[in-house]
Amino acid sequence: LRRFSEMITQAVGTDRVAILLLEGDRYIQRYPHSPETAPIVTLAKSDPLVQRLLQVQEPIVADSLQRRRPTEERLVLAHKMASLKTSIAIGIRSREELDGIMLLGSRLTGRIYGNIEQNALQKLRKAMTAESS
């Protein structure tokens, strides 16, 4: 997880990467695992962010949620991502199951995660999925 996180950090220039893995009925942060510096993120399967990632294959981007017409779902997702200090959330899948979630913070440049970065993240996510299978 450390190596993959470092690759993502370099690829998109983010300030942080958190990787949550499915354990029972929850997604629990397994990288980085340092409760002294930051609380461990835990998301229930019923969490709106998890439910959305279960429904879609593409990343959830906070900037896109804020620019589109507000709906109750978008407002809830935007609030959740803001509370997690997350700019983009990506599902980690194997055999179409949601085995994990990758949360990325803001980009160091201050720029948004555009289509180029989202596509790169999707390719890296697929590579991670293939490597872990």
Side-chain angles (χ1 to χ4, degrees):
L1 292 177
R2 181 186 53 76
R3 186 179 67 167
F4 180 72
S5 178
E6 288 169 356
M7 185 173 33
I8 294 292
T9 300
Q10 290 175 354
V12 296
T14 185
D15 65 351
R16 81 182 171 87
V17 174
I19 299 174
L20 290 67
L21 299 176
L22 180 61
E23 295 183 21
D25 63 345
R26 306 184 88 62
Y27 292 86
I28 300 173
Q29 181 179 331
R30 290 297 167 213
Y31 185 85
H33 191 21
S34 56
E36 310 83 45
T37 58
I40 299 295
V41 175
T42 302
L43 300 174
K45 280 187 175 179
S46 60
D47 187 279
L49 189 60
V50 173
Q51 288 299 304
R52 183 67 181 154
L53 287 170
L54 284 166
Q55 295 170 4
V56 299
Q57 295 287 325
E58 66 269 359
I60 301 170
V61 182
D63 290 319
S64 295
L65 293 172
Q66 294 169 357
R67 285 192 307 246
R68 298 174 80 191
R69 182 181 58 81
T71 64
E72 184 176 342
E73 178 189 29
R74 287 185 189 132
L75 292 172
V76 167
L77 288 172
H79 177 72
K80 181 65 175 191
M81 291 180 78
S83 73
L84 294 170
K85 296 182 175 86
T86 297
S87 294
I88 189 166
I90 303 168
I92 301 170
R93 301 180 185 284
S94 68
R95 293 183 225 88
E96 299 307 312
E97 297 293 322
L98 186 63
D99 293 330
I101 299 170
M102 184 170 43
L103 304 175
L104 280 70
S106 299
R107 294 184 67 203
L108 297 173
T109 61
R111 298 184 62 173
I112 65 169
Y113 289 95
N115 287 335
I116 293 171
E117 292 82 16
Q118 290 179 45
N119 290 337
L121 288 167
Q122 287 287 58
K123 288 178 183 172
L124 289 170
R125 176 196 56 84
K126 288 178 184 176
M128 179 187 180
T129 301
E131 187 176 295
S132 65
S133 296

